[in-house]
């Protein structure tokens, strides 16, 4: 299947480069997100549901609890707000008001694609309407978007940030697609042209380490050494460039980073 797509894209690079731009960019930004299962929807419906309208998107948002400490949870690629279930249950019991949102093309939000610039714009819009939120906890591509947000949007109320298992370079995504699909350099360059047209910058611009250099918000950066989705080297480098940050490397938790002990460590970090 992958090689068939690659053959098709390589063919388009010579016959219909404009179509390759459109189709290639869509594939790059398509999370192929999983649909919510009944038990996941049942849990999410226990929270207060709302929608945020932004640039034609309807963003699904949630709220649990009514504690004095306000926190926003930002999920990762092909995921949704249910991934935070353990965090939500723990935080609500410990005097938190917990907010979460489904990224475009994820969960119950509308849309067909997602990228870091769009995700950061959604985060900013939500925080503008919830200026009492002081902490943000993010996972995977959500962590990349959060780092971009903290660098590019200066007027926010965030005082603590947690970045979990985040990728570090947009360029690496293109290297992955080139290898896995068997794309030619010509095909990749055509898709990159559309990427630049849509996002305003080349892939090389999107580097979490570069973004972190101007961020002063204290951060806890977490990554598992056995993460098969994103290499922990990204978090090691992010920690070096993020002046006011701590690095926590785990073993055996993988990309999901699901652990009762870790939930408590995250809650302790944003509280103290």
């Amino acid at each position: 299947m992958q090689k068939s797509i690659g053959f098709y894209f390589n063919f388009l690079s010579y016959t219909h480069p404009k179509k390759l731009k459109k189709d290639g960019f869509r594939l790059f930004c398509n999370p192929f997100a999983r649909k919510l299962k009944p038990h996941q929807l049942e849990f999410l419906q226990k929270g207060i549901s709302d929608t945020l309208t932004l640039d034609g998107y309807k963003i699904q948002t949630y709220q649990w609890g009514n504690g004095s400490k306000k926190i926003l949870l930002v999920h990762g690629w092909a995921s949704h707000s249910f991934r935070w279930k353990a965090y939500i249950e723990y935080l609500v019991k410990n005097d938190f008001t917990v907010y979460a949102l489904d990224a475009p093309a994820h969960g119950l939000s509308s849309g067909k694609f997602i990228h870091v610039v769009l995700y950061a714009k959604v985060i900013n819009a939500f925080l503008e309407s919830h200026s009492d939120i002081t902490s943000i906890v993010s996972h995977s591509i959500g962590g990349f978007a959060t780092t971009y947000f903290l660098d590019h949007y200066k007027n926010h109320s965030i005082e603590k940030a947690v970045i979990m298992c985040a990728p570090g370079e947009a360029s690496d995504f293109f290297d992955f697609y080139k290898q896995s699909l068997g794309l030619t350099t010509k095909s990749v360059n055509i898709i990159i042209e559309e990427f630049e047209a849509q996002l305003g910058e080349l892939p090389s611009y999107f580097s979490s380490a570069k973004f972190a250099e101007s961020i002063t918000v204290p951060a806890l950066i977490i990554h598992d050494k056995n993460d098969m989705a994103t290499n922990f080297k990204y978090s090691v480098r992010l920690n070096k460039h993020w002046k006011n940050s701590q690095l926590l490397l785990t073993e055996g938790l993988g990309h999901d980073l699901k652990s009762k002990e870790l939930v408590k460590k995250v809650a302790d970090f944003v509280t103290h």
Side-chain angles (χ1 to χ4, degrees), residues 31-240:
F32 298 100
R34 299 181 295 271
K35 291 184 178 180
L36 283 164
K37 297 178 180 179
H39 75 280
Q40 296 172 334
L41 188 58
E42 181 181 358
F43 173 77
L44 293 173
Q45 288 176 337
K46 293 178 181 178
I48 300 173
S49 297
D50 200 357
T51 55
L52 168 69
T53 301
L54 178 68
D55 295 347
Y57 292 95
K58 289 187 177 180
I59 306 301
Q60 180 67 44
T61 69
Y62 303 94
Q63 175 190 335
W64 292 269
N66 194 30
S68 63
K69 294 167 285 189
K70 320 292 184 179
I71 190 168
L72 173 62
L73 308 179
V74 181
H75 69 77
W77 188 262
S79 186
H80 44 65
S81 295
F82 179 80
R83 72 100 45 212
W84 298 112
K85 180 177 183 292
Y87 285 83
I88 294 163
E89 293 174 337
Y90 182 88
L91 292 168
V92 167
K93 291 178 182 178
N94 287 273
D95 193 33
F96 279 86
T97 301
V98 182
Y99 297 91
L101 56 83
D102 291 339
H106 292 74
L108 297 180
S109 292
S110 67
K112 295 183 179 180
F113 65 87
I114 184 67
H115 51 70
V116 167
V117 175
L118 175 58
Y119 207 168
K121 191 173 185 178
V122 169
I123 293 170
N124 181 64
F126 184 80
L127 289 176
E128 281 185 335
S129 61
H130 296 79
S131 58
D132 54 349
I133 295 176
T134 56
S135 302
I136 186 167
V137 178
S138 56
H139 180 253
S140 190
I141 192 70
F144 202 166
T146 296
T147 305
Y148 179 93
F149 158 75
L150 291 171
D151 177 48
H152 286 72
Y153 296 89
K154 303 301 184 182
N155 296 321
H156 59 74
S157 57
I158 297 300
E159 299 173 1
K160 291 285 187 72
V162 179
I163 311 293
M164 307 168 71
C165 289
E169 302 288 335
S171 297
D172 288 350
F173 286 95
F174 280 96
D175 292 340
F176 169 77
Y177 278 110
K178 181 179 182 180
Q179 182 177 357
S180 61
L181 299 179
L183 297 177
T184 64
T185 299
K186 179 181 178 68
S187 296
V188 173
N189 287 339
I190 289 173
I191 298 171
I192 286 176
E193 287 179 14
E194 184 65 12
F195 181 97
E196 183 180 14
Q198 293 284 344
L199 276 67
E201 300 286 351
L202 288 168
S204 58
Y205 172 82
F206 294 91
S207 167
S208 60
K210 292 178 185 177
F211 299 150
E213 291 178 349
S214 70
I215 302 174
T216 58
V217 173
L220 175 61
I221 300 168
I222 309 171
H223 216 126
D224 193 82
K225 292 182 179 180
N226 305 118
D227 189 337
M228 300 300 290
T230 59
N231 196 299
F232 76 94
K233 69 178 182 181
Y234 290 126
S235 288
V236 173
R237 187 176 59 175
L238 183 63
N239 169 239
K240 290 179 180 179

